[in-house]
């Protein structure tokens, strides 16, 4: 047997060691060796002569010896074979033990590696959760701790404006001068901005007279914004260069840019007219004007209104006023922008204004036949994880009716829109649940009809998922050096273990598809965060079913869906904290899911009258049930075409509307439909056909009544002609008068006054009078002007003007 150690993978190959030979083969070889040895021994005896001389006894003896030798050889061979087998077994057992030990060690190492990976993953997840929890706990909107302070300085002096703000994420601060953004790069020698540890500073180097302005700073992060402002007055050394004498404008009083003086006159030169736009376009409405006197520091205030609502700078609208021009720019038109726009130039002495309508058509649908986008998306009743979203439906004049809406949500700062409802909601209101507390969201809505889905609406204003009651439960006490102490009512209520049941459980919203259950938190509520569980029971069933078994509700309201139509339900609510669950609240009154408002009835008789060469005035009777109306949509059609087109693309609230953009000389008919959150009414009956052409009307009212002269018994008055003559020349004017503290007006003239100046006789000396004037044309007498100021009938000298 070979003593060479053979590798494990070779030990099963027979040609490497004789001990691995076949047992049968080895036996044959041993037999052959024994016989050969016996034959050698016999040959030896014969060669030595012993075989011839020995006797038979000796021969037998020799054979016996040979046999014994053979047996001995066989025994020795068997022992060797047994010994080799034992060595082989021992070696195999040793190697098997080593292999098992290697496998065990490898398994142990693999298990340790997997355990280390699992622990590492668990630690990373816990750290991520803790980091997110810490960020959530410290996240807050910007808060101004130290506000800007006004400064009055001499020319060539430097000014530093500073304020302190806190918030998380760290707010971004922008500086403005008279509402215009300050960019240090545009004038690096003038401005320098510093921000360090929440303290923000604007340095104004070598201030000059033009640096007198209102400066403001706006701090913004994803949770909101805060602003502060101040005035900077730059004074000149020499008195003759002072714009205002010290006796009129004291040195210590800051001069605001909003100061408006009586003697500033505004006259509009170029005006914006009725305008048509399409969703997605950019557009600018502007007016040029003559301002007398045009003082750089003392100018009127320009205000823009849409349907009597003041417009401010935003993502969608930009305001500009300067160099004799006021402009309102739209960065991305939407149907929300449709309406009557009014520019008002405000002075201390009065208001000059001009108005015109802006129409915004639907953009081309992504799918042919799909409806237009909804509009006016708003959020109501926001709380920790809940908000109600409302909107207005689009006009579907030529498209198939809307069958429902999809509501989408997106967390502020992200672009990941998530659809809130699986099936289209049929009314223009939807309660969105599942919001994360402390985060801000925006929403949009898409309409659906048989052809497809519309474009999304304009996004809503951001809304934070916070409980407004939490602000009422905390009180902030400001102490010296900018420190403050926050006291919570929870700290005063003691350690509450298991909370009490909620109170005032009721249905705040009832519709055909859902019911919103609202309640008041338990009092006292304790320090621990509360969650709520809502249970429902069909009237008469006697069993209760938990509605939100999988989701814990944090807000004191919840929308319950999947209610059987025509069945009545009762509800109760349980409050819970980490210590346990309260007893159930009192049971509500039976509630049946049904729409609380109905589709409005059709408007009444529609009357269309001529207005201008391209417009018609349409009036109609309001429907019998006009509660909760969003407004009306007006459609028009050329007589005989049977093709209807929408006039307005956003519901109007009045029962009178001027339809613009019509062809002169063409005949049109009109119809009206009402709309609310449930849907549209039936179309009204068509109006009588009307031909589009200019109509004669009464003139508008005169204005600007002024006293020109008085001799103690008569007054000479002048005024300005009406802005609109009614399509016919003005024939003259009628004047009325009354004494101060009298209620009745008296006619001054019975025949027309053909000029804009007139002397009123037979007045009482030292008495006070006021006057009003009305213009007349072929159609009739227009509306009278506003009453004039109270003029005292006292003699005074003043050269009379020549002419009119």
């Amino acid at each position: 047997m070979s003593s060479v150690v053979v590798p494990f993978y070779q030990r099963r190959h027979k040609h490497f060691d004789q001990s691995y030979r076949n047992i049968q083969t080895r036996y044959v070889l041993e037999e052959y060796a024994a016989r050969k040895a016996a034959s050698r021994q016999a040959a030896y005896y014969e060669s030595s002569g012993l075989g011839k001389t020995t006797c038979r006894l000796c021969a037998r003896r020799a054979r016996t010896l040979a046999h014994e030798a053979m047996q001995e050889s066989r025994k020795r061979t068997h022992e060797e074979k047994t010994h080799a087998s034992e060595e082989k077994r021992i070696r195999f057992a040793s190697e098997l033990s080593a292999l098992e030990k290697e496998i065990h060690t490898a398994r142990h190492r693999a298990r340790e590696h997997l355990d280390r990976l699992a622990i590492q993953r668990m630690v990373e997840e816990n750290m991520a959760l803790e980091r997110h929890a810490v960020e959530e706990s410290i996240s807050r909107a910007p808060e101004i701790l130290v506000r800007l302070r006004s400064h009055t300085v001499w020319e060539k002096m430097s000014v530093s404006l500073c304020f302190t703000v806190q918030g998380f994420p760290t707010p971004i601060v922008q500086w403005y001068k008279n509402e215009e953004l300050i960019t240090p790069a545009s004038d690096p020698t003038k401005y320098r901005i510093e921000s360090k540890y929440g303290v923000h500073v604007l340095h104004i180097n070598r201030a000059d007279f033009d640096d007198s302005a209102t400066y403001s700073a706006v701090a913004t992060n994803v949770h909101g914004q805060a602003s502060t402002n101040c005035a900077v007055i730059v004074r000149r050394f020499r008195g003759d260069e002072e714009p205002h004498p010290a006796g009129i404008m004291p040195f210590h009083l800051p001069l605001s840019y909003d100061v408006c003086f009586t003697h500033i006159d505004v006259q509009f030169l170029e005006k914006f007219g009725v305008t048509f736009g399409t969703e997605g376009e950019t557009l600018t409405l502007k007016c040029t004007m003559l301002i007398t006197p045009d003082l750089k520091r003392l100018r009127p205030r320009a205000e823009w209104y849409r349907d009597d609502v003041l417009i401010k700078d935003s993502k969608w609208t930009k305001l500009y006023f300067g160099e004799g021009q006021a402009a309102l720019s739209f960065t991305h038109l939407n149907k929300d922008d449709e309406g009557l726009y009014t520019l008002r130039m405000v002075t201390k002495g009065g208001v000059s204004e001009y108005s015109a309508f802006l129409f915004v058509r639907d953009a081309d649908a992504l799918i042919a036949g799909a409806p237009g986008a909804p509009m006016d998306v708003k959020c109501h009743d926001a709380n920790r994880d809940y908000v109600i979203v409302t909107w207005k439906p689009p006009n579907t004049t030529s498209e198939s009716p809307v069958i429902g809406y999809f509501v989408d949500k997106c967390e502020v700062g992200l672009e990941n829109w998530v659809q809130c409802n699986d099936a289209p909601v049929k009314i223009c209101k939807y309660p969105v649940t599942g919001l994360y507390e402390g985060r801000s969201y925006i929403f949009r809505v898409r309409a659906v009809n048989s052809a497809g889905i519309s474009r999304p609406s304009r996004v809503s204003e951001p809304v934070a998922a916070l409980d407004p009651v939490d602000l009422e439960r905390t009180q902030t006490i400001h102490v010296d050096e900018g420190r403050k102490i926050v006291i919570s009512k929870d700290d005063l209520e003691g350690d509450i273990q298991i909370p009490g049941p909620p109170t005032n459980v009721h249905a705040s919203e009832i519709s055909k598809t859902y019911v919103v259950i609202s309640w008041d938190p338990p009092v006292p509520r304790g320090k621990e965060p509360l969650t709520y569980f809502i249970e429902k029971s069909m009237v008469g069933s006697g069993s209760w079913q938990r509605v939100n078994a999988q989701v814990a509700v944090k807000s004191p309201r919840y929308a319950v869906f999947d209610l059987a139509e025509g069945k009545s339900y009762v509800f109760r609510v349980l409050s819970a904290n980490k210590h346990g669950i309260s007893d159930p609240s009192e049971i509500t009154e039976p509630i049946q899911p049904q729409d609380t408002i109905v589709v409005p009835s059709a408007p009444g008789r529609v009357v269309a009258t001529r207005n201008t060469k391209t417009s018609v005035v349409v009036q109609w009777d309001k429907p019998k049930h006009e509660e909760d109306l969003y407004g009306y949509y007006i459609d028009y059609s050329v007589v005989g075409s049977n093709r209807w087109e929408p006039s307005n693309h956003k519901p109007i609230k009045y029962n009178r509307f001027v339809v613009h953009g019509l062809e002169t000389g063409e005949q049109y008919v009109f119809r009206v439909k009402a709309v609310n959150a449930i849907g549209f009414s039936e179309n009204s009956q068509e109006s009588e056909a009307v031909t589009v052409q200019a109509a004669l009307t009464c003139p508008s009212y005169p204005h600007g009544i002024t006293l020109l002269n008085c001799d103690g018994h008569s007054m000479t008055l002048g005024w300005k002609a009406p802005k609109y003559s009614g399509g016919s020349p003005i024939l003259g004017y009628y004047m009325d008068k009354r004494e101060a503290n009298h209620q009745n007006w008296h006619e001054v003239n019975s025949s027309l006054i053909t000029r804009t100046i007139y002397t009123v006789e037979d007045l009482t000396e030292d008495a006070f009078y006021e006057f009003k004037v009305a213009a007349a044309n072929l159609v009739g007498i227009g509306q009278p002007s506003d009453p004039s100021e109270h003029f005292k009938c006292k003699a005074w000298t003043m050269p009379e003007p020549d002419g009119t």
Side-chain angles (χ1 to χ4, degrees):
M1 177 183 295
S2 176
S3 62
V4 178
V5 178
V6 179
F8 176 78
Y9 62 87
Q10 294 180 347
R11 292 177 184 173
R12 295 188 61 85
H13 296 274
K14 301 176 183 179
H15 61 279
F16 286 102
D17 196 329
Q18 292 182 358
S19 61
Y20 281 85
R21 289 177 177 173
N22 187 289
I23 296 176
Q24 185 66 29
T25 303
R26 292 174 61 186
Y27 179 77
V28 171
L29 290 176
E30 290 172 0
E31 287 289 331
Y32 174 76
R35 289 177 182 177
K36 190 174 182 180
S39 63
R40 279 200 207 100
Q41 189 176 7
Y44 171 76
Y45 288 144
E46 290 179 359
S47 62
S48 60
L50 292 175
K52 297 178 180 180
T53 57
T54 56
C55 60
R56 183 176 298 175
L57 181 60
C58 293
R60 181 181 300 171
R61 187 177 178 182
R63 285 196 297 273
T64 301
L65 290 174
H67 180 71
E68 290 178 354
M70 184 180 296
Q71 292 293 331
E72 184 68 21
S73 175
R74 289 180 178 176
K75 183 177 179 182
R76 186 168 56 252
T77 303
H78 179 71
E79 289 177 353
E80 291 177 353
K81 183 169 65 173
T82 303
H83 181 69
S85 299
E86 183 66 18
E87 287 184 352
K88 178 182 177 183
R89 187 187 64 78
I90 293 173
R91 186 169 59 253
F92 179 78
S94 175
E95 292 172 352
L96 181 61
S97 175
L99 180 62
E100 289 179 350
K101 188 175 181 179
E102 287 181 20
I103 294 174
H104 178 73
T105 303
R107 287 179 177 175
H108 182 69
R109 290 176 179 174
R111 186 178 297 107
E112 287 182 346
H113 181 65
L114 292 176
D115 290 343
R116 283 197 299 271
L117 290 178
I119 294 172
Q120 182 179 357
R121 189 180 300 110
M122 186 187 310
V123 170
E124 291 176 353
E125 291 177 353
N126 290 337
M127 290 179 63
L129 289 175
E130 290 181 4
R131 182 169 60 254
H132 180 73
V134 171
E135 290 179 356
E136 288 293 322
S137 64
I138 65 177
S139 293
R140 66 184 66 183
E143 180 183 1
I144 305 295
L145 301 181
V146 179
R147 309 189 73 83
L148 291 173
R149 183 172 59 86
S150 297
H151 293 264
T152 302
V153 298
W154 294 103
E155 275 189 315
K156 309 305 180 183
M157 293 179 62
S158 297
V159 184
S160 294
L161 307 178
C162 63
F163 77 104
T164 305
V165 64
Q166 70 175 7
F168 188 85
T170 303
I172 298 173
V173 174
Q174 292 180 309
W175 292 87
Y176 294 85
K177 174 184 177 182
N178 287 340
E179 301 183 356
E180 294 183 3
L181 181 65
I182 296 175
T183 53
S186 62
D187 192 354
T189 61
K190 172 62 69 174
Y191 301 109
R192 182 165 56 88
I193 295 177
E194 294 181 355
S195 298
K196 191 173 183 181
Y197 305 122
V199 179
H200 302 268
V201 184
L202 172 65
H203 298 282
I204 305 175
N205 186 38
R206 293 179 62 83
D208 55 33
F209 194 70
D210 291 336
D211 289 323
S212 296
T214 298
Y215 291 84
S216 58
V218 179
T220 308
N221 65 11
V222 296
H223 299 292
Q225 67 175 208
S227 63
T228 177
N229 56 68
C230 67
V232 173
I233 305 300
V234 181
R235 298 294 300 269
R236 288 175 173 167
F237 287 103
R238 290 176 294 180
D240 55 352
E241 293 186 358
E242 283 287 339
H244 303 286
I248 299 177
M249 185 63 67
F251 176 78
H252 63 277
L253 291 178
L255 181 61
S256 170
Y257 270 75
D258 290 335
V259 175
C260 300
F261 281 77
T262 304
H263 301 293
I264 295 179
D265 181 69
V266 179
Q267 181 181 357
F268 294 110
L269 301 178
E270 296 181 8
K271 310 172 185 177
F272 62 92
V274 175
T275 308
F276 294 88
T278 304
E279 283 188 308
E281 295 179 345
T282 57
L283 183 70
T284 299
L285 305 178
K286 60 183 178 181
C287 277
T288 58
M289 61 198 72
L290 178 63
I291 303 174
T292 308
D294 189 6
L295 304 177
K296 183 176 181 180
R297 290 170 53 92
L298 304 174
R299 55 184 180 179
R301 183 174 65 252
E303 296 179 346
W304 287 88
Y305 293 82
R306 178 178 59 240
D307 299 328
D308 294 328
V309 177
L310 181 64
I311 299 173
K312 298 182 179 180
D313 257 331
S314 68
K315 177 182 178 182
W316 312 109
T317 54
K318 302 297 180 183
L319 306 178
Y320 171 80
F321 175 52
E323 300 178 355
Q325 179 175 283
L328 172 62
S329 298
F330 300 90
T331 57
H332 187 281
L333 270 181
N334 194 274
K335 288 186 296 186
D336 298 63
D337 299 318
E338 183 171 286
L340 180 66
Y341 284 81
T342 302
L343 170 61
R344 295 177 183 171
M345 303 302 299
V346 183
T347 67
K348 191 175 181 181
V351 177
S352 300
E353 65 179 33
Y354 171 75
S355 301
F357 206 91
L358 170 63
F359 294 88
V360 182
R361 303 184 182 95
D362 284 301
D364 292 336
L366 299 176
I367 302 174
M375 70 210 77
D376 200 18
V377 180
K378 294 182 179 179
C379 300
H380 310 272
D381 199 21
N383 216 285
R384 286 190 178 95
D385 54 4
Y386 165 94
V387 68
I388 287 184
V389 180
T390 63
W391 59 92
K392 292 178 181 177
N395 190 4
T396 53
T397 302
S398 56
E399 300 84 10
S400 59
V402 172
I403 59 177
Y405 303 89
F406 286 117
V407 180
D408 303 329
K409 68 179 179 181
C410 178
E411 190 173 338
V412 172
L414 304 179
E415 295 183 358
N416 182 26
W417 286 96
V418 179
Q419 185 172 299
C420 301
N421 51 317
D422 297 328
V425 58
K426 297 183 181 300
I427 64 174
C428 297
K429 180 186 294 186
Y430 187 74
V432 178
T433 57
L435 306 181
Y436 290 98
E437 184 177 2
R439 301 185 185 181
S440 295
Y441 294 85
I442 53 177
F443 298 87
R444 69 183 187 187
V445 183
R446 295 169 293 154
V448 185
N449 67 2
S450 58
I453 302 177
S454 73
R455 292 177 180 269
S457 67
R458 174 180 286 180
V459 299
S460 68
E461 292 294 326
V463 61
L466 297 171
D467 188 353
V469 178
D470 287 346
L471 299 177
E472 301 175 2
R473 295 182 59 81
T474 58
Q475 181 180 1
T476 303
I477 301 176
H478 294 274
V479 296
D480 58 344
E481 299 180 357
R483 294 178 299 168
K484 62 182 181 180
I485 301 174
V486 179
I487 301 176
S488 174
K489 291 183 180 180
D490 299 336
D491 300 329
L492 306 177
E493 293 176 352
D495 189 13
I496 304 299
Q497 296 295 321
I498 298 178
T503 58
N504 190 27
V505 182
H506 64 282
S508 58
E509 292 276 347
I510 301 177
S511 75
K512 195 173 182 179
T513 55
Y514 66 87
V515 172
V516 175
I517 303 300
S518 300
W519 58 90
D520 295 334
V523 178
R525 56 182 293 174
K527 300 179 182 179
E528 301 298 335
L530 288 179
T531 56
Y532 301 95
F533 294 98
I534 299 88
E535 295 181 345
K536 68 178 180 180
S537 174
M538 188 180 296
V539 173
S541 66
S543 62
W544 289 93
Q545 178 185 356
R546 182 160 292 181
V547 176
N548 61 321
Q550 304 297 327
V551 180
V553 175
K554 298 180 180 179
S555 300
R557 54 188 56 81
Y558 188 76
V560 182
F561 291 85
D562 300 326
L563 300 175
E565 186 175 355
K567 301 294 184 180
S568 295
Y569 293 84
V570 291
F571 299 87
R572 65 185 186 187
V573 183
L574 301 88
S575 57
N577 61 16
K578 70 177 185 180
H579 300 294
I581 302 178
S582 72
D583 295 329
S585 67
E586 294 183 1
I587 300 173
T588 65
E589 296 292 328
I591 301 169
Q592 182 175 348
Q594 59 184 356
D595 291 328
T596 55
I597 59 176
V598 297
V599 175
S601 56
R605 186 171 66 98
V606 179
V607 177
T609 55
R610 291 182 295 176
N611 186 43
T612 68
K613 293 181 179 180
T614 58
S615 64
V616 167
V617 177
V618 180
Q619 302 180 77
W620 58 92
D621 295 333
K622 296 180 179 180
K624 296 180 180 178
H625 305 286
E626 57 176 332
E627 296 82 6
D628 302 308
L629 277 185
Y630 287 159
Y632 304 91
Y633 281 120
I634 300 95
D635 302 330
Y636 64 89
S637 174
V638 176
V639 173
S641 68
N642 200 28
R643 178 182 176 183
W644 291 93
E645 296 290 341
S647 174
N648 59 318
H649 308 82
K650 177 182 176 181
I652 62 166
K653 297 183 178 180
Y654 308 104
N655 62 331
R656 182 183 184 275
F657 188 70
V658 180
V659 179
H660 290 273
L662 306 177
E663 293 291 334
T664 304
E666 194 69 73
Q667 282 192 320
Y668 290 88
V669 291
F670 301 86
R671 69 184 185 188
V672 183
K673 55 189 171 187
V675 59
N676 64 8
I678 300 298
F680 296 93
S681 70
E682 296 292 334
N683 289 314
S684 68
Q685 294 183 354
E686 298 177 9
S687 68
E688 296 290 335
V690 61
T691 303
V692 180
Q693 61 184 25
L696 298 178
T697 60
C698 295
S700 59
Y701 53 87
H703 58 97
I705 302 175
T706 306
L707 176 61
L708 302 178
N709 192 23
C710 180
D711 61 6
H713 300 282
S714 65
M715 292 182 181
T716 301
L717 304 171
W719 58 89
K720 294 181 180 179
K723 296 181 179 180
Y724 177 62
S725 66
S728 175
I730 293 178
L731 302 178
Y733 302 91
Y734 290 98
M735 179 182 290
D736 295 337
K737 69 175 181 180
R738 72 177 176 185
E739 287 191 52
N741 301 323
H742 284 64
Q743 297 295 326
N744 297 327
W745 289 90
H746 302 282
E747 292 183 357
V748 173
N749 58 309
S750 58
S751 59
L752 286 171
I753 303 170
T754 57
R755 303 167 63 190
T756 56
I757 184 172
Y758 187 75
T759 300
V760 183
E761 305 287 350
D762 301 327
L763 300 178
T764 304
E765 189 172 5
D766 291 333
F768 285 87
Y769 291 89
E770 58 180 341
F771 304 88
K772 63 181 181 180
V773 182
N777 63 5
L778 287 175
V779 177
I781 301 175
Q783 292 293 324
S785 65
D786 293 332
S788 68
E789 299 178 13
H790 287 88
F791 299 131
K792 185 176 182 179
C793 187
K794 184 177 181 180
W796 57 289
T797 58
M798 177 178 179
E800 295 189 12
D802 295 331
T804 59

